[in-house]
Amino acid sequence: MFNDIWIARKNAMSLAKTLMVATMVIAIGTQYAVITAEDHDSSVVVVNDYDPFELM
């Protein structure tokens, strides 16, 4: 969990490039978390998504 959106986005992009999987930054209350696209559930609010194949 991150309190700063910038840190969450940076970690999500790095994780997407390293693991070569799509990642998402989600908002949970006033905090942010990074999950993979496989773990996405419609009950969470997606702030950003990163696809490693689109980043290249």
Side-chain angles (χ1 to χ4, degrees):
M1 299 290 279
F2 302 97
N3 291 323
D4 186 1
I5 186 69
W6 185 82
I7 295 172
R9 287 176 176 163
K10 184 176 176 183
N11 281 300
M13 188 181 319
S14 175
L15 190 62
K17 288 180 179 180
T18 302
L19 298 178
M20 295 305 289
V21 296
T23 59
M24 299 178 173
V25 176
I26 60 171
I28 303 172
T30 60
Q31 295 185 331
Y32 304 95
V34 177
I35 62 170
T36 62
E38 294 175 352
D39 297 329
H40 179 254
D41 186 353
S42 61
S43 65
V44 296
V45 177
V46 176
V47 178
N48 288 96
D49 62 331
Y50 298 96
D51 185 350
F53 301 105
E54 289 179 2
L55 295 174
M56 294 182 159

mmCIF file of all heavy atoms in Angstrom:
data_model
loop_
_atom_site.group_PDB
_atom_site.id
_atom_site.type_symbol
_atom_site.label_atom_id
_atom_site.label_comp_id
_atom_site.label_asym_id
_atom_site.label_seq_id
_atom_site.Cartn_x
_atom_site.Cartn_y
_atom_site.Cartn_z
ATOM 1 N N MET A 1 0.831 -1.168 0.000
ATOM 2 C CA MET A 1 0.000 0.000 0.000
ATOM 3 C C MET A 1 0.886 1.245 0.000
ATOM 4 O O MET A 1 1.891 1.289 0.691
ATOM 5 C CB MET A 1 -0.911 0.017 1.217
ATOM 6 C CG MET A 1 -1.874 -1.148 1.311
ATOM 7 S SD MET A 1 -3.169 -1.110 0.104
ATOM 8 C CE MET A 1 -4.283 0.020 0.848
ATOM 9 N N PHE A 2 0.471 2.201 -0.783
ATOM 10 C CA PHE A 2 1.217 3.449 -0.912
ATOM 11 C C PHE A 2 0.311 4.626 -0.554
ATOM 12 O O PHE A 2 -0.874 4.618 -0.861
ATOM 13 C CB PHE A 2 1.710 3.626 -2.349
ATOM 14 C CG PHE A 2 2.587 2.506 -2.829
ATOM 15 C CD1 PHE A 2 2.062 1.472 -3.584
ATOM 16 C CD2 PHE A 2 3.935 2.489 -2.522
ATOM 17 C CE1 PHE A 2 2.864 0.444 -4.033
ATOM 18 C CE2 PHE A 2 4.739 1.460 -2.964
ATOM 19 C CZ PHE A 2 4.203 0.430 -3.721
ATOM 20 N N ASN A 3 0.892 5.628 0.062
ATOM 21 C CA ASN A 3 0.157 6.856 0.348
ATOM 22 C C ASN A 3 0.332 7.866 -0.772
ATOM 23 O O ASN A 3 -0.466 8.779 -0.913
ATOM 24 C CB ASN A 3 0.637 7.477 1.660
ATOM 25 C CG ASN A 3 0.240 6.632 2.844
ATOM 26 O OD1 ASN A 3 -0.828 6.054 2.860
ATOM 27 N ND2 ASN A 3 1.101 6.554 3.827
ATOM 28 N N ASP A 4 1.384 7.704 -1.556
ATOM 29 C CA ASP A 4 1.723 8.650 -2.620
ATOM 30 C C ASP A 4 1.440 8.009 -3.982
ATOM 31 O O ASP A 4 1.979 6.949 -4.301
ATOM 32 C CB ASP A 4 3.195 9.029 -2.497
ATOM 33 C CG ASP A 4 3.615 10.120 -3.454
ATOM 34 O OD1 ASP A 4 2.772 10.618 -4.224
ATOM 35 O OD2 ASP A 4 4.806 10.476 -3.434
ATOM 36 N N ILE A 5 0.605 8.657 -4.791
ATOM 37 C CA ILE A 5 0.246 8.126 -6.106
ATOM 38 C C ILE A 5 1.457 8.018 -7.022
ATOM 39 O O ILE A 5 1.568 7.091 -7.815
ATOM 40 C CB ILE A 5 -0.885 8.966 -6.756
ATOM 41 C CG1 ILE A 5 -1.366 8.336 -8.068
ATOM 42 C CG2 ILE A 5 -0.439 10.380 -7.015
ATOM 43 C CD1 ILE A 5 -2.097 7.066 -7.917
ATOM 44 N N TRP A 6 2.394 8.956 -6.918
ATOM 45 C CA TRP A 6 3.573 8.935 -7.778
ATOM 46 C C TRP A 6 4.410 7.682 -7.530
ATOM 47 O O TRP A 6 4.871 7.047 -8.477
ATOM 48 C CB TRP A 6 4.405 10.199 -7.531
ATOM 49 C CG TRP A 6 5.567 10.312 -8.448
ATOM 50 C CD1 TRP A 6 5.561 10.788 -9.723
ATOM 51 C CD2 TRP A 6 6.915 9.911 -8.193
ATOM 52 N NE1 TRP A 6 6.821 10.717 -10.261
ATOM 53 C CE2 TRP A 6 7.670 10.176 -9.335
ATOM 54 C CE3 TRP A 6 7.552 9.357 -7.092
ATOM 55 C CZ2 TRP A 6 9.031 9.898 -9.411
ATOM 56 C CZ3 TRP A 6 8.897 9.076 -7.169
ATOM 57 C CH2 TRP A 6 9.617 9.342 -8.319
ATOM 58 N N ILE A 7 4.593 7.319 -6.278
ATOM 59 C CA ILE A 7 5.371 6.118 -5.940
ATOM 60 C C ILE A 7 4.644 4.865 -6.424
ATOM 61 O O ILE A 7 5.265 3.944 -6.955
ATOM 62 C CB ILE A 7 5.645 6.061 -4.430
ATOM 63 C CG1 ILE A 7 6.546 7.213 -4.010
ATOM 64 C CG2 ILE A 7 6.287 4.728 -4.043
ATOM 65 C CD1 ILE A 7 6.722 7.361 -2.513
ATOM 66 N N ALA A 8 3.334 4.831 -6.276
ATOM 67 C CA ALA A 8 2.560 3.675 -6.740
ATOM 68 C C ALA A 8 2.671 3.518 -8.248
ATOM 69 O O ALA A 8 2.866 2.410 -8.753
ATOM 70 C CB ALA A 8 1.101 3.830 -6.318
ATOM 71 N N ARG A 9 2.563 4.626 -8.993
ATOM 72 C CA ARG A 9 2.682 4.567 -10.453
ATOM 73 C C ARG A 9 4.071 4.114 -10.889
ATOM 74 O O ARG A 9 4.216 3.319 -11.815
ATOM 75 C CB ARG A 9 2.376 5.935 -11.054
ATOM 76 C CG ARG A 9 0.929 6.304 -11.006
ATOM 77 C CD ARG A 9 0.705 7.697 -11.530
ATOM 78 N NE ARG A 9 -0.717 8.025 -11.562
ATOM 79 C CZ ARG A 9 -1.174 9.241 -11.663
ATOM 80 N NH1 ARG A 9 -0.351 10.263 -11.747
ATOM 81 N NH2 ARG A 9 -2.468 9.452 -11.681
ATOM 82 N N LYS A 10 5.095 4.625 -10.234
ATOM 83 C CA LYS A 10 6.473 4.253 -10.573
ATOM 84 C C LYS A 10 6.704 2.759 -10.337
ATOM 85 O O LYS A 10 7.307 2.074 -11.165
ATOM 86 C CB LYS A 10 7.442 5.088 -9.737
ATOM 87 C CG LYS A 10 8.882 4.871 -10.073
ATOM 88 C CD LYS A 10 9.771 5.803 -9.283
ATOM 89 C CE LYS A 10 11.226 5.497 -9.555
ATOM 90 N NZ LYS A 10 12.110 6.332 -8.757
ATOM 91 N N ASN A 11 6.201 2.246 -9.219
ATOM 92 C CA ASN A 11 6.357 0.830 -8.919
ATOM 93 C C ASN A 11 5.554 -0.044 -9.876
ATOM 94 O O ASN A 11 6.007 -1.114 -10.271
ATOM 95 C CB ASN A 11 5.955 0.541 -7.472
ATOM 96 C CG ASN A 11 7.041 0.928 -6.507
ATOM 97 O OD1 ASN A 11 8.146 0.420 -6.575
ATOM 98 N ND2 ASN A 11 6.732 1.834 -5.596
ATOM 99 N N ALA A 12 4.375 0.402 -10.262
ATOM 100 C CA ALA A 12 3.553 -0.364 -11.202
ATOM 101 C C ALA A 12 4.227 -0.465 -12.563
ATOM 102 O O ALA A 12 4.237 -1.530 -13.182
ATOM 103 C CB ALA A 12 2.176 0.271 -11.333
ATOM 104 N N MET A 13 4.804 0.641 -13.034
ATOM 105 C CA MET A 13 5.484 0.620 -14.325
ATOM 106 C C MET A 13 6.720 -0.271 -14.275
ATOM 107 O O MET A 13 6.968 -1.060 -15.181
ATOM 108 C CB MET A 13 5.883 2.024 -14.759
ATOM 109 C CG MET A 13 6.417 2.052 -16.172
ATOM 110 S SD MET A 13 6.954 3.661 -16.793
ATOM 111 C CE MET A 13 5.733 4.762 -16.205
ATOM 112 N N SER A 14 7.474 -0.184 -13.213
ATOM 113 C CA SER A 14 8.671 -1.012 -13.057
ATOM 114 C C SER A 14 8.301 -2.491 -12.995
ATOM 115 O O SER A 14 8.956 -3.330 -13.620
ATOM 116 C CB SER A 14 9.426 -0.600 -11.799
ATOM 117 O OG SER A 14 10.515 -1.449 -11.572
ATOM 118 N N LEU A 15 7.269 -2.811 -12.250
ATOM 119 C CA LEU A 15 6.827 -4.197 -12.125
ATOM 120 C C LEU A 15 6.333 -4.737 -13.458
ATOM 121 O O LEU A 15 6.625 -5.873 -13.825
ATOM 122 C CB LEU A 15 5.730 -4.290 -11.071
ATOM 123 C CG LEU A 15 5.299 -5.676 -10.636
ATOM 124 C CD1 LEU A 15 6.455 -6.418 -9.992
ATOM 125 C CD2 LEU A 15 4.142 -5.583 -9.667
ATOM 126 N N ALA A 16 5.616 -3.924 -14.217
ATOM 127 C CA ALA A 16 5.123 -4.348 -15.526
ATOM 128 C C ALA A 16 6.278 -4.658 -16.473
ATOM 129 O O ALA A 16 6.260 -5.661 -17.175
ATOM 130 C CB ALA A 16 4.229 -3.267 -16.123
ATOM 131 N N LYS A 17 7.295 -3.807 -16.470
ATOM 132 C CA LYS A 17 8.452 -4.026 -17.346
ATOM 133 C C LYS A 17 9.272 -5.231 -16.916
ATOM 134 O O LYS A 17 9.772 -5.975 -17.746
ATOM 135 C CB LYS A 17 9.344 -2.784 -17.350
ATOM 136 C CG LYS A 17 8.761 -1.625 -18.093
ATOM 137 C CD LYS A 17 9.712 -0.447 -18.044
ATOM 138 C CE LYS A 17 9.198 0.751 -18.786
ATOM 139 N NZ LYS A 17 10.132 1.881 -18.715
ATOM 140 N N THR A 18 9.413 -5.437 -15.618
ATOM 141 C CA THR A 18 10.227 -6.539 -15.100
ATOM 142 C C THR A 18 9.559 -7.890 -15.307
ATOM 143 O O THR A 18 10.176 -8.839 -15.784
ATOM 144 C CB THR A 18 10.519 -6.343 -13.600
ATOM 145 O OG1 THR A 18 11.177 -5.096 -13.426
ATOM 146 C CG2 THR A 18 11.388 -7.455 -13.054
ATOM 147 N N LEU A 19 8.286 -7.990 -14.951
ATOM 148 C CA LEU A 19 7.570 -9.261 -15.035
ATOM 149 C C LEU A 19 6.901 -9.494 -16.383
ATOM 150 O O LEU A 19 6.415 -10.591 -16.655
ATOM 151 C CB LEU A 19 6.510 -9.337 -13.935
ATOM 152 C CG LEU A 19 7.018 -9.292 -12.497
ATOM 153 C CD1 LEU A 19 5.848 -9.336 -11.530
ATOM 154 C CD2 LEU A 19 7.981 -10.428 -12.226
ATOM 155 N N MET A 20 6.824 -8.433 -17.212
ATOM 156 C CA MET A 20 6.159 -8.495 -18.514
ATOM 157 C C MET A 20 4.698 -8.937 -18.370
ATOM 158 O O MET A 20 4.203 -9.792 -19.105
ATOM 159 C CB MET A 20 6.919 -9.406 -19.480
ATOM 160 C CG MET A 20 8.291 -8.890 -19.842
ATOM 161 S SD MET A 20 8.301 -7.222 -20.516
ATOM 162 C CE MET A 20 7.571 -7.481 -22.122
ATOM 163 N N VAL A 21 4.017 -8.343 -17.397
ATOM 164 C CA VAL A 21 2.586 -8.549 -17.199
ATOM 165 C C VAL A 21 1.935 -7.179 -17.030
ATOM 166 O O VAL A 21 2.586 -6.224 -16.600
ATOM 167 C CB VAL A 21 2.269 -9.426 -15.964
ATOM 168 C CG1 VAL A 21 2.813 -10.820 -16.127
ATOM 169 C CG2 VAL A 21 2.780 -8.802 -14.688
ATOM 170 N N ALA A 22 0.678 -7.079 -17.371
ATOM 171 C CA ALA A 22 -0.048 -5.825 -17.189
ATOM 172 C C ALA A 22 -0.299 -5.598 -15.700
ATOM 173 O O ALA A 22 -0.676 -6.522 -14.982
ATOM 174 C CB ALA A 22 -1.366 -5.867 -17.937
ATOM 175 N N THR A 23 -0.049 -4.380 -15.247
ATOM 176 C CA THR A 23 -0.276 -4.029 -13.848
ATOM 177 C C THR A 23 -1.234 -2.856 -13.770
ATOM 178 O O THR A 23 -1.401 -2.107 -14.740
ATOM 179 C CB THR A 23 1.032 -3.661 -13.131
ATOM 180 O OG1 THR A 23 1.646 -2.567 -13.801
ATOM 181 C CG2 THR A 23 1.990 -4.834 -13.077
ATOM 182 N N MET A 24 -1.835 -2.689 -12.610
ATOM 183 C CA MET A 24 -2.791 -1.605 -12.392
ATOM 184 C C MET A 24 -2.550 -0.973 -11.039
ATOM 185 O O MET A 24 -2.216 -1.659 -10.079
ATOM 186 C CB MET A 24 -4.214 -2.136 -12.424
ATOM 187 C CG MET A 24 -4.598 -2.762 -13.713
ATOM 188 S SD MET A 24 -6.265 -3.392 -13.631
ATOM 189 C CE MET A 24 -6.499 -3.861 -15.317
ATOM 190 N N VAL A 25 -2.725 0.333 -10.992
ATOM 191 C CA VAL A 25 -2.725 1.051 -9.719
ATOM 192 C C VAL A 25 -4.188 1.215 -9.339
ATOM 193 O O VAL A 25 -4.988 1.719 -10.127
ATOM 194 C CB VAL A 25 -2.053 2.436 -9.845
ATOM 195 C CG1 VAL A 25 -2.146 3.196 -8.534
ATOM 196 C CG2 VAL A 25 -0.596 2.286 -10.270
ATOM 197 N N ILE A 26 -4.536 0.756 -8.136
ATOM 198 C CA ILE A 26 -5.916 0.859 -7.683
ATOM 199 C C ILE A 26 -5.991 1.743 -6.441
ATOM 200 O O ILE A 26 -5.027 1.865 -5.700
ATOM 201 C CB ILE A 26 -6.527 -0.528 -7.384
ATOM 202 C CG1 ILE A 26 -5.742 -1.263 -6.291
ATOM 203 C CG2 ILE A 26 -6.604 -1.352 -8.645
ATOM 204 C CD1 ILE A 26 -6.402 -2.533 -5.802
ATOM 205 N N ALA A 27 -7.126 2.374 -6.270
ATOM 206 C CA ALA A 27 -7.358 3.227 -5.102
ATOM 207 C C ALA A 27 -8.185 2.456 -4.089
ATOM 208 O O ALA A 27 -9.221 1.875 -4.428
ATOM 209 C CB ALA A 27 -8.084 4.489 -5.511
ATOM 210 N N ILE A 28 -7.698 2.463 -2.853
ATOM 211 C CA ILE A 28 -8.421 1.839 -1.743
ATOM 212 C C ILE A 28 -8.500 2.889 -0.644
ATOM 213 O O ILE A 28 -7.527 3.125 0.068
ATOM 214 C CB ILE A 28 -7.702 0.573 -1.243
ATOM 215 C CG1 ILE A 28 -7.532 -0.426 -2.374
ATOM 216 C CG2 ILE A 28 -8.466 -0.035 -0.075
ATOM 217 C CD1 ILE A 28 -6.676 -1.613 -2.041
ATOM 218 N N GLY A 29 -9.619 3.532 -0.568
ATOM 219 C CA GLY A 29 -9.756 4.637 0.379
ATOM 220 C C GLY A 29 -8.845 5.774 -0.039
ATOM 221 O O GLY A 29 -8.933 6.277 -1.149
ATOM 222 N N THR A 30 -7.935 6.162 0.852
ATOM 223 C CA THR A 30 -6.979 7.232 0.545
ATOM 224 C C THR A 30 -5.611 6.685 0.180
ATOM 225 O O THR A 30 -4.664 7.443 0.047
ATOM 226 C CB THR A 30 -6.836 8.177 1.748
ATOM 227 O OG1 THR A 30 -6.373 7.418 2.872
ATOM 228 C CG2 THR A 30 -8.149 8.849 2.074
ATOM 229 N N GLN A 31 -5.496 5.367 0.026
ATOM 230 C CA GLN A 31 -4.221 4.749 -0.310
ATOM 231 C C GLN A 31 -4.305 4.091 -1.679
ATOM 232 O O GLN A 31 -5.375 3.943 -2.258
ATOM 233 C CB GLN A 31 -3.830 3.728 0.755
ATOM 234 C CG GLN A 31 -3.567 4.361 2.101
ATOM 235 C CD GLN A 31 -3.069 3.340 3.093
ATOM 236 O OE1 GLN A 31 -3.398 2.165 3.009
ATOM 237 N NE2 GLN A 31 -2.248 3.794 4.031
ATOM 238 N N TYR A 32 -3.138 3.682 -2.172
ATOM 239 C CA TYR A 32 -3.034 3.076 -3.494
ATOM 240 C C TYR A 32 -2.295 1.758 -3.397
ATOM 241 O O TYR A 32 -1.439 1.579 -2.543
ATOM 242 C CB TYR A 32 -2.282 4.013 -4.452
ATOM 243 C CG TYR A 32 -2.915 5.370 -4.535
ATOM 244 C CD1 TYR A 32 -2.467 6.422 -3.749
ATOM 245 C CD2 TYR A 32 -3.992 5.592 -5.383
ATOM 246 C CE1 TYR A 32 -3.066 7.665 -3.809
ATOM 247 C CE2 TYR A 32 -4.603 6.828 -5.449
ATOM 248 C CZ TYR A 32 -4.133 7.854 -4.660
ATOM 249 O OH TYR A 32 -4.741 9.084 -4.715
ATOM 250 N N ALA A 33 -2.620 0.836 -4.290
ATOM 251 C CA ALA A 33 -1.964 -0.465 -4.341
ATOM 252 C C ALA A 33 -1.699 -0.815 -5.794
ATOM 253 O O ALA A 33 -2.333 -0.282 -6.705
ATOM 254 C CB ALA A 33 -2.831 -1.529 -3.694
ATOM 255 N N VAL A 34 -0.767 -1.728 -6.007
ATOM 256 C CA VAL A 34 -0.431 -2.203 -7.347
ATOM 257 C C VAL A 34 -0.820 -3.673 -7.429
ATOM 258 O O VAL A 34 -0.456 -4.462 -6.559
ATOM 259 C CB VAL A 34 1.081 -2.047 -7.626
ATOM 260 C CG1 VAL A 34 1.431 -2.622 -8.992
ATOM 261 C CG2 VAL A 34 1.486 -0.586 -7.534
ATOM 262 N N ILE A 35 -1.584 -4.020 -8.458
ATOM 263 C CA ILE A 35 -1.990 -5.400 -8.677
ATOM 264 C C ILE A 35 -1.733 -5.761 -10.134
ATOM 265 O O ILE A 35 -1.561 -4.886 -10.980
ATOM 266 C CB ILE A 35 -3.474 -5.630 -8.340
ATOM 267 C CG1 ILE A 35 -4.388 -4.781 -9.229
ATOM 268 C CG2 ILE A 35 -3.746 -5.374 -6.863
ATOM 269 C CD1 ILE A 35 -5.871 -5.133 -9.103
ATOM 270 N N THR A 36 -1.731 -7.047 -10.425
ATOM 271 C CA THR A 36 -1.628 -7.481 -11.818
ATOM 272 C C THR A 36 -3.029 -7.483 -12.419
ATOM 273 O O THR A 36 -4.033 -7.509 -11.704
ATOM 274 C CB THR A 36 -1.016 -8.888 -11.928
ATOM 275 O OG1 THR A 36 -1.865 -9.818 -11.260
ATOM 276 C CG2 THR A 36 0.379 -8.926 -11.342
ATOM 277 N N ALA A 37 -3.087 -7.481 -13.721
ATOM 278 C CA ALA A 37 -4.380 -7.460 -14.409
ATOM 279 C C ALA A 37 -5.178 -8.727 -14.118
ATOM 280 O O ALA A 37 -6.404 -8.700 -14.103
ATOM 281 C CB ALA A 37 -4.169 -7.291 -15.904
ATOM 282 N N GLU A 38 -4.495 -9.826 -13.854
ATOM 283 C CA GLU A 38 -5.179 -11.079 -13.538
ATOM 284 C C GLU A 38 -5.965 -10.974 -12.239
ATOM 285 O O GLU A 38 -6.976 -11.648 -12.065
ATOM 286 C CB GLU A 38 -4.173 -12.219 -13.427
ATOM 287 C CG GLU A 38 -3.493 -12.557 -14.719
ATOM 288 C CD GLU A 38 -2.413 -13.606 -14.543
ATOM 289 O OE1 GLU A 38 -2.090 -13.956 -13.392
ATOM 290 O OE2 GLU A 38 -1.892 -14.072 -15.564
ATOM 291 N N ASP A 39 -5.499 -10.134 -11.320
ATOM 292 C CA ASP A 39 -6.148 -9.975 -10.017
ATOM 293 C C ASP A 39 -7.227 -8.910 -10.028
ATOM 294 O O ASP A 39 -7.854 -8.656 -8.997
ATOM 295 C CB ASP A 39 -5.105 -9.619 -8.950
ATOM 296 C CG ASP A 39 -4.091 -10.721 -8.751
ATOM 297 O OD1 ASP A 39 -4.462 -11.898 -8.934
ATOM 298 O OD2 ASP A 39 -2.937 -10.410 -8.417
ATOM 299 N N HIS A 40 -7.457 -8.296 -11.171
ATOM 300 C CA HIS A 40 -8.437 -7.205 -11.264
ATOM 301 C C HIS A 40 -9.839 -7.704 -10.966
ATOM 302 O O HIS A 40 -10.261 -8.757 -11.427
ATOM 303 C CB HIS A 40 -8.404 -6.577 -12.658
ATOM 304 C CG HIS A 40 -9.391 -5.474 -12.812
ATOM 305 N ND1 HIS A 40 -10.536 -5.639 -13.538
ATOM 306 C CD2 HIS A 40 -9.420 -4.226 -12.319
ATOM 307 C CE1 HIS A 40 -11.234 -4.514 -13.499
ATOM 308 N NE2 HIS A 40 -10.572 -3.643 -12.754
ATOM 309 N N ASP A 41 -10.534 -6.933 -10.168
ATOM 310 C CA ASP A 41 -11.919 -7.211 -9.800
ATOM 311 C C ASP A 41 -12.730 -5.953 -10.096
ATOM 312 O O ASP A 41 -12.236 -4.847 -9.926
ATOM 313 C CB ASP A 41 -11.969 -7.558 -8.311
ATOM 314 C CG ASP A 41 -13.331 -7.996 -7.845
ATOM 315 O OD1 ASP A 41 -14.294 -7.920 -8.636
ATOM 316 O OD2 ASP A 41 -13.449 -8.416 -6.686
ATOM 317 N N SER A 42 -13.939 -6.099 -10.508
ATOM 318 C CA SER A 42 -14.736 -4.925 -10.872
ATOM 319 C C SER A 42 -15.100 -4.059 -9.672
ATOM 320 O O SER A 42 -15.624 -2.961 -9.839
ATOM 321 C CB SER A 42 -16.007 -5.358 -11.606
ATOM 322 O OG SER A 42 -16.790 -6.176 -10.748
ATOM 323 N N SER A 43 -14.818 -4.527 -8.470
ATOM 324 C CA SER A 43 -15.170 -3.753 -7.280
ATOM 325 C C SER A 43 -14.101 -2.729 -6.886
ATOM 326 O O SER A 43 -14.320 -1.954 -5.966
ATOM 327 C CB SER A 43 -15.421 -4.689 -6.096
ATOM 328 O OG SER A 43 -14.229 -5.351 -5.742
ATOM 329 N N VAL A 44 -12.967 -2.718 -7.587
ATOM 330 C CA VAL A 44 -11.900 -1.769 -7.254
ATOM 331 C C VAL A 44 -11.847 -0.646 -8.284
ATOM 332 O O VAL A 44 -12.260 -0.817 -9.426
ATOM 333 C CB VAL A 44 -10.516 -2.460 -7.158
ATOM 334 C CG1 VAL A 44 -10.495 -3.464 -6.035
ATOM 335 C CG2 VAL A 44 -10.125 -3.117 -8.459
ATOM 336 N N VAL A 45 -11.338 0.503 -7.863
ATOM 337 C CA VAL A 45 -11.218 1.668 -8.737
ATOM 338 C C VAL A 45 -9.811 1.682 -9.333
ATOM 339 O O VAL A 45 -8.832 1.802 -8.606
ATOM 340 C CB VAL A 45 -11.469 2.965 -7.952
ATOM 341 C CG1 VAL A 45 -11.276 4.172 -8.845
ATOM 342 C CG2 VAL A 45 -12.850 2.952 -7.338
ATOM 343 N N VAL A 46 -9.715 1.539 -10.649
ATOM 344 C CA VAL A 46 -8.422 1.551 -11.336
ATOM 345 C C VAL A 46 -8.025 2.993 -11.623
ATOM 346 O O VAL A 46 -8.774 3.734 -12.252
ATOM 347 C CB VAL A 46 -8.475 0.731 -12.641
ATOM 348 C CG1 VAL A 46 -7.161 0.825 -13.383
ATOM 349 C CG2 VAL A 46 -8.847 -0.707 -12.355
ATOM 350 N N VAL A 47 -6.839 3.377 -11.147
ATOM 351 C CA VAL A 47 -6.335 4.730 -11.356
ATOM 352 C C VAL A 47 -5.503 4.782 -12.634
ATOM 353 O O VAL A 47 -5.657 5.684 -13.451
ATOM 354 C CB VAL A 47 -5.507 5.201 -10.140
ATOM 355 C CG1 VAL A 47 -4.939 6.586 -10.368
ATOM 356 C CG2 VAL A 47 -6.346 5.155 -8.876
ATOM 357 N N ASN A 48 -4.589 3.832 -12.793
ATOM 358 C CA ASN A 48 -3.742 3.722 -13.983
ATOM 359 C C ASN A 48 -3.543 2.259 -14.311
ATOM 360 O O ASN A 48 -3.605 1.412 -13.432
ATOM 361 C CB ASN A 48 -2.354 4.324 -13.751
ATOM 362 C CG ASN A 48 -2.357 5.817 -13.674
ATOM 363 O OD1 ASN A 48 -2.393 6.361 -12.581
ATOM 364 N ND2 ASN A 48 -2.311 6.461 -14.808
ATOM 365 N N ASP A 49 -3.273 1.981 -15.589
ATOM 366 C CA ASP A 49 -2.872 0.630 -15.957
ATOM 367 C C ASP A 49 -1.659 0.718 -16.867
ATOM 368 O O ASP A 49 -1.488 1.685 -17.601
ATOM 369 C CB ASP A 49 -4.016 -0.138 -16.623
ATOM 370 C CG ASP A 49 -4.493 0.494 -17.913
ATOM 371 O OD1 ASP A 49 -4.375 1.717 -18.044
ATOM 372 O OD2 ASP A 49 -4.974 -0.242 -18.779
ATOM 373 N N TYR A 50 -0.804 -0.278 -16.752
ATOM 374 C CA TYR A 50 0.438 -0.311 -17.517
ATOM 375 C C TYR A 50 0.563 -1.661 -18.202
ATOM 376 O O TYR A 50 0.551 -2.699 -17.551
ATOM 377 C CB TYR A 50 1.650 -0.088 -16.597
ATOM 378 C CG TYR A 50 1.630 1.261 -15.930
ATOM 379 C CD1 TYR A 50 1.125 1.428 -14.650
ATOM 380 C CD2 TYR A 50 2.095 2.385 -16.602
ATOM 381 C CE1 TYR A 50 1.095 2.674 -14.051
ATOM 382 C CE2 TYR A 50 2.061 3.633 -16.012
ATOM 383 C CZ TYR A 50 1.558 3.763 -14.734
ATOM 384 O OH TYR A 50 1.516 5.003 -14.146
ATOM 385 N N ASP A 51 0.656 -1.633 -19.523
ATOM 386 C CA ASP A 51 0.862 -2.827 -20.316
ATOM 387 C C ASP A 51 2.299 -2.793 -20.820
ATOM 388 O O ASP A 51 2.671 -1.864 -21.548
ATOM 389 C CB ASP A 51 -0.117 -2.858 -21.482
ATOM 390 C CG ASP A 51 -0.060 -4.136 -22.288
ATOM 391 O OD1 ASP A 51 0.874 -4.938 -22.059
ATOM 392 O OD2 ASP A 51 -0.939 -4.343 -23.127
ATOM 393 N N PRO A 52 3.121 -3.752 -20.446
ATOM 394 C CA PRO A 52 4.530 -3.697 -20.825
ATOM 395 C C PRO A 52 4.752 -3.751 -22.340
ATOM 396 O O PRO A 52 5.758 -3.252 -22.828
ATOM 397 C CB PRO A 52 5.140 -4.919 -20.138
ATOM 398 C CG PRO A 52 4.009 -5.853 -19.948
ATOM 399 C CD PRO A 52 2.815 -4.983 -19.721
ATOM 400 N N PHE A 53 3.818 -4.301 -23.072
ATOM 401 C CA PHE A 53 3.979 -4.392 -24.516
ATOM 402 C C PHE A 53 3.638 -3.073 -25.203
ATOM 403 O O PHE A 53 4.053 -2.838 -26.323
ATOM 404 C CB PHE A 53 3.131 -5.554 -25.059
ATOM 405 C CG PHE A 53 3.527 -6.867 -24.447
ATOM 406 C CD1 PHE A 53 2.739 -7.461 -23.474
ATOM 407 C CD2 PHE A 53 4.712 -7.484 -24.802
ATOM 408 C CE1 PHE A 53 3.110 -8.656 -22.888
ATOM 409 C CE2 PHE A 53 5.103 -8.684 -24.228
ATOM 410 C CZ PHE A 53 4.305 -9.271 -23.272
ATOM 411 N N GLU A 54 2.885 -2.202 -24.532
ATOM 412 C CA GLU A 54 2.598 -0.881 -25.080
ATOM 413 C C GLU A 54 3.679 0.124 -24.678
ATOM 414 O O GLU A 54 3.831 1.145 -25.314
ATOM 415 C CB GLU A 54 1.245 -0.379 -24.569
ATOM 416 C CG GLU A 54 0.075 -1.119 -25.145
ATOM 417 C CD GLU A 54 -1.243 -0.613 -24.607
ATOM 418 O OE1 GLU A 54 -1.263 0.344 -23.816
ATOM 419 O OE2 GLU A 54 -2.279 -1.176 -24.996
ATOM 420 N N LEU A 55 4.419 -0.178 -23.598
ATOM 421 C CA LEU A 55 5.459 0.736 -23.110
ATOM 422 C C LEU A 55 6.702 0.697 -23.976
ATOM 423 O O LEU A 55 7.491 1.625 -23.967
ATOM 424 C CB LEU A 55 5.824 0.389 -21.666
ATOM 425 C CG LEU A 55 4.726 0.586 -20.626
ATOM 426 C CD1 LEU A 55 5.195 0.050 -19.274
ATOM 427 C CD2 LEU A 55 4.343 2.035 -20.516
ATOM 428 N N MET A 56 6.907 -0.366 -24.714
ATOM 429 C CA MET A 56 8.131 -0.518 -25.498
ATOM 430 C C MET A 56 8.066 0.235 -26.779
ATOM 431 O O MET A 56 7.180 0.554 -27.369
ATOM 432 C CB MET A 56 8.390 -1.992 -25.789
ATOM 433 C CG MET A 56 8.676 -2.747 -24.553
ATOM 434 S SD MET A 56 9.014 -4.449 -24.997
ATOM 435 C CE MET A 56 9.883 -4.952 -23.571
#
